[in-house]
Amino acid sequence: MRAFDVVTAKDSRHAVALLAEHAPTAKVIAGGTDLLADLKFSSHGPAMVVDISRVEDLKAITITDEGLSIGALVTHTAIMRSPIINDMFPALVHAAHTIGAVQTRNLGTLGGNLVTGVPSMDSGPTLMALEAIIVILSPAGRRQVPMAEFFLGPRKTVLKPDELLAEILIPKQNLGKPTHFLKFGLRKGQALALVSAAASVWVDVDTQICSAPRISLGAVAPTVIRAPKAEAHLDGRPLTADAMAEAGRIAASEAKPISDFRASAGYRRELVAVLTKRALEGAYELAKTKRRGA
Amino acid sequence: MAKVTITVNGEARTVSVPPETTLLKLLREHLNLTGAKLGCDVGDCGACTVIVNGKSVNSCLMLASQVDGFDVLTIEGLATTDQLHPLQTAFEEKGSLQCGFCGPGVIMSAKALLDEEPDPSVERIRDALAGNLCRCTGYSKMIEAVQAVANSVNSHPSVKSA
């Protein structure tokens, strides 16, 4: 690794001040699972690394007036063990479990997974299907960006060099929304997603009519994406087997997968149809066991 | 240089290292603890696994300065001069290792699991070892060894893992 200096932030204010001082040649390190792996193979490194791993005020999982707040430094292991998240969003627990292995889940953070901006990120689809909001701190203050607008392209996000991803907010109206996540990789452990899909939906238990269906796909476009046409196909209709299968086919037409050494574009497209249908089925199963607001 | 003070295997150590030094490099090259291995160096293989503040981590993915003030346990901290750790004994009895390069990492992952969960299912053991690659054994005998220790801890509550 090329030489760099390290400054350690004490809290989020300090982290923002340090970033402002050292941007644009600074990089932020939290869990380090992506940053250090990248820097070891990079011909040019940052002059300064701002270590935010000790910033305690970004490690909380709390219910606030705005919704469920997950601090950017919450590790994947912490998500898996959080009673609140297990209760409200088992899909987030499942998504966290598909990331890397125990050692990387103990280090890696939710915010870190998002700032990589890779289309195959395992945390992305579930959060996007829950219309998560990214809370960003900078010397200018605090701003919120809807998850769907956060990613600009592969490894590109809206974050400016002096901005810090501080918090991930699942809005109040989606608390407890039935959600399901599926990842298809070539192995169970330590595999990148060929395709991942998440679906969230409210279902009226008496009429089976669904509302606010949200479908999000990973690894099949330059960023994690929503599948708005598939969503529109379902909204306000009964969630039948046919409707879910058709939503899967529509989602496949909305994906823009590439061929690479892991899989062909055609195979990925087929997977989108199947995983979307199954994610909807999983969310529907959950919906049958709980009512809105419950 | 970054001044780093850590407790390694129960002993406080202070060293000055270049800021970009990883925990693995600190252990191997500055503290002469070469049990944790440099394998892939990117967090895939688990050969560098150590336990930091009770959690298994890839020591190749942490900066030394990030563990300043923390408690680090490496494979060297398990056995005493006259007694192996129960996991080490079980790995020896079952013939769980062949070339042995992955061994320190596998055993530290298994220890982290048993410390939190004394009676894990096979599924949980597999999950706990998923971040440790072994190209020799096929894993079965490692899983059997971890199960054997779990069972012995449970049948003799006084036998505690280090």
Side-chain angles (χ1 to χ4, degrees), chain B residues 35-54:
Chain B
K37 299 289 183 261
L38 175 71
C40 69
D41 211 15
V42 292
D44 286 330
C45 77
C48 68
T49 303
V50 300
I51 297 178
V52 173
N53 286 356

Side-chain angles (χ1 to χ4, degrees), chain B residues 113 117-128 143 146-147 150:
Chain B
L113 170 69
E117 207 174 318
D119 189 17
S121 64
V122 172
E123 195 61 23
R124 291 282 302 128
I125 297 171
R126 285 175 171 273
D127 192 58
I143 293 163
V146 179
Q147 280 182 293

Side-chain angles (χ1 to χ4, degrees), chain A:
Chain A
M1 231 174 343
R2 292 172 68 93
F4 52 73
D5 273 327
V6 178
V7 277
T8 304
K10 294 192 288 276
D11 53 36
S12 57
R13 282 174 76 107
H14 189 212
V16 169
L18 287 173
L19 258 187
E21 187 184 342
H22 297 288
T25 55
K27 281 277 187 188
V28 174
I29 188 168
T33 56
D34 279 296
L35 183 74
L36 290 185
D38 283 348
L39 290 184
K40 286 174 189 182
F41 293 95
S42 176
S43 55
H44 51 279
M48 179 64 80
V49 167
V50 177
D51 177 12
I52 60 168
S53 64
R54 293 171 198 256
V55 173
E56 293 300 322
D57 58 318
L58 299 182
K59 294 183 182 176
I61 300 170
T62 46
I63 301 282
T64 70
D65 290 345
E66 296 174 293
L68 174 67
S69 160
I70 307 175
L73 293 177
V74 169
T75 64
H76 307 300
T77 299
I79 287 174
M80 288 169 65
R81 293 180 182 182
S82 157
I84 299 176
I85 296 180
N86 272 278
D87 180 46
M88 283 191 175
F89 301 114
L92 278 178
V93 174
H94 176 55
H97 195 179
T98 68
I99 294 172
V102 177
Q103 297 96 315
T104 35
R105 293 197 292 268
N106 282 341
L107 290 172
T109 63
L110 186 61
N113 198 226
L114 298 180
V115 297
T116 61
V118 297
S120 61
M121 64 172 65
D122 296 317
S123 307
T126 314
L127 290 173
M128 200 176 275
L130 287 166
E131 298 163 289
I133 290 159
I134 308 296
V135 181
I136 296 167
L137 298 178
S138 76
R142 178 184 147 115
R143 69 169 176 136
Q144 299 193 342
V145 178
M147 179 98 173
E149 294 164 25
F150 181 70
F151 304 112
L152 298 176
R155 294 181 178 272
K156 284 202 185 74
T157 72
V158 300
L159 276 185
K160 299 190 187 89
D162 66 346
E163 289 186 319
L164 184 73
L165 195 167
E167 186 188 328
I168 296 95
L169 193 64
I170 297 174
K172 201 170 190 178
Q173 76 270 15
N174 285 343
L175 291 187
K177 187 176 182 186
T179 309
H180 197 63
F181 170 79
L182 289 168
K183 167 179 172 176
F184 193 92
L186 295 176
R187 304 176 301 278
K188 265 194 190 169
Q190 304 230 74
L192 286 184
L194 291 186
V195 175
S196 57
S200 72
V201 66
W202 294 110
V203 182
D204 184 306
V205 187
D206 301 321
T207 62
Q208 307 301 309
I209 287 177
C210 79
S211 57
R214 298 289 179 260
I215 295 166
S216 179
L217 307 170
V220 290
T223 69
V224 175
I225 55 166
R226 286 262 297 270
K229 289 177 189 161
E231 294 172 2
H233 176 75
L234 295 172
D235 202 6
R237 293 203 173 90
L239 212 48
T240 62
D242 282 350
M244 290 188 274
E246 180 59 17
R249 284 189 286 273
I250 298 170
S253 73
E254 294 182 86
K256 298 174 190 68
I258 55 165
S259 293
D260 64 12
F261 63 95
R262 290 194 185 86
S264 68
Y267 184 56
R268 284 193 164 98
R269 211 178 275 285
E270 292 291 327
L271 281 173
V272 170
V274 174
L275 291 191
T276 299
K277 177 179 73 102
R278 290 184 187 164
L280 284 163
E281 288 167 353
Y284 185 32
E285 277 306 307
L286 262 181
K288 286 179 185 169
T289 62
K290 60 182 177 192
R291 282 169 187 270
R292 186 165 197 164

